Amino acid sequence: MKARYHLPFIALLATQAVHAAENETTPAKKTNPQNKTQKPWQGSVELGVILTTGNSDTTNINSKFNVVQQLETWRNTYTFTSLYANSDDTKTEEQYRGAIQSDYIFNDHQFWYIRGAYDKNLFSGYDYQSSASTGYGNRFWQEEDGSYLEGSVGGGYRNNKIDEDNTTDDSERIPIVRFSGTYEKHLSTTSLFKQELNTEIGTENGSSITESVSSLQANVVDNLAMKVSYRVKYSSDVPADTEKTDTETTVSMLYSF
């Protein structure tokens, strides 16, 4: 990845350092209504592995690392996901996704976000897909147990680089409008359902990328849980010989901290 594509992430990380310094030197004024637990750091680590031998040898590994940093008026979320699959010594899937989002919390419901994302999928026809955006968000509903519904709308820039093996250089570099929604419901004290929906629409050509992630997790013991997730990604415009819709179903163990 060329240096200039690191800029959105470098800017975001620099912002976090400044906010962290401010948080250490400024006396606490109030609690953050959008995070009642007030834990400075919380997150989860997921790992799923499937190995088969016999008539066919297959390997499937998926992992996810998600951390939320809670400051006085800022909420920072760091996410990294990987997926790898191999069948009879032939690689069938390899993907890495990362995102950083900072939310400035105004009050019980409203916030302003800054987000950067990077996706490298070796079987997508792209060398990489990246975007940076900023906009307004609102947590419409939240309960004492942590269940909530929020949405956001913003604008930014998308840069999708066609794979170098492709004979064309038709990379997509366009302004975008981004819509996002998250619904999280605690079904009980030990189970959680989550639905995420994100859409990026190019303002110049109307091309869109929509991603939906549905997940259900249930505690096994203490901080250890079993999680099932289903992801669908639809791209209206894709490189030649690639599908517009990608789906993945993962089963993993999740450790929360």
Side-chain angles (χ1 to χ4, degrees):
M1 181 172 62
K2 297 182 180 179
R4 63 176 181 275
Y5 301 126
H6 284 296
L7 291 178
F9 296 97
I10 293 174
L12 284 170
L13 290 172
T15 302
Q16 314 319 319
V18 173
H19 299 327
E22 290 177 349
N23 190 60
E24 292 176 356
T25 58
T26 304
K29 298 178 181 178
K30 61 180 180 179
T31 59
N32 186 334
Q34 294 193 33
N35 190 333
K36 301 180 185 299
T37 61
Q38 285 298 295
K39 293 173 62 177
W41 293 92
Q42 55 186 328
S44 62
V45 178
E46 299 176 32
L47 179 62
V49 179
I50 300 176
L51 303 174
T52 66
T53 60
N55 293 324
S56 63
D57 296 332
T58 64
T59 302
N60 293 275
I61 303 174
N62 64 277
S63 64
K64 183 176 182 179
F65 181 71
N66 185 79
V67 173
V68 178
Q69 178 190 24
Q70 186 65 56
L71 303 177
E72 183 182 344
T73 55
W74 286 85
R75 178 179 58 230
N76 306 313
T77 304
Y78 310 88
T79 304
F80 175 78
T81 304
S82 68
L83 180 65
Y84 174 85
N86 182 296
S87 179
D88 293 329
D89 296 326
T90 300
K91 186 189 303 180
T92 57
E93 185 72 39
E94 185 173 357
Q95 183 174 180
Y96 307 95
R97 302 191 300 271
I100 302 174
Q101 179 166 323
S102 291
D103 302 328
Y104 181 80
I105 310 300
F106 293 115
N107 51 43
D108 287 12
H109 304 287
Q110 302 178 84
F111 62 92
W112 190 270
Y113 79 87
I114 304 171
R115 182 179 187 272
Y118 181 84
D119 186 337
K120 187 174 183 64
N121 185 339
L122 272 61
F123 294 85
S124 66
Y126 289 102
D127 185 25
Y128 64 82
Q129 295 176 280
S130 64
S131 67
S133 62
T134 183
Y136 169 81
N138 194 305
R139 184 161 290 192
F140 308 105
W141 161 76
Q142 179 163 312
E143 294 186 345
E144 291 295 329
D145 65 358
S147 300
Y148 68 89
L149 172 66
E150 73 178 28
S152 64
V153 59
Y157 191 78
R158 181 168 68 210
N159 188 351
N160 293 343
K161 176 69 169 62
I162 298 293
D163 194 295
E164 294 179 356
D165 293 335
N166 196 299
T167 55
T168 66
D169 186 24
D170 189 23
S171 298
E172 184 182 48
R173 305 179 181 92
I174 57 173
I176 59 170
V177 176
R178 183 176 185 272
F179 300 94
S180 178
T182 302
Y183 172 68
E184 188 171 296
K185 176 62 176 177
H186 289 260
L187 304 176
S188 69
T189 56
T190 59
S191 60
L192 173 70
F193 172 78
K194 188 172 184 178
Q195 175 64 52
E196 299 173 89
L197 183 64
N198 306 293
T199 300
E200 295 177 357
I201 303 174
T203 59
E204 294 181 353
N205 57 13
S207 63
S208 64
I209 298 177
T210 300
E211 181 180 60
S212 169
V213 181
S214 307
S215 64
L216 180 65
Q217 68 183 63
N219 281 27
V220 177
V221 59
D222 295 329
N223 295 338
L224 191 64
M226 177 72 75
K227 180 178 178 181
V228 179
S229 179
Y230 180 68
R231 175 176 175 264
V232 180
K233 181 179 180 180
Y234 173 81
S235 302
S236 62
D237 293 332
V238 296
D241 301 322
T242 56
E243 299 290 338
K244 291 186 176 183
T245 303
D246 289 326
T247 67
E248 62 185 55
T249 302
T250 58
V251 179
S252 56
M253 297 300 295
L254 178 148
Y255 176 78
S256 300
F257 55 89

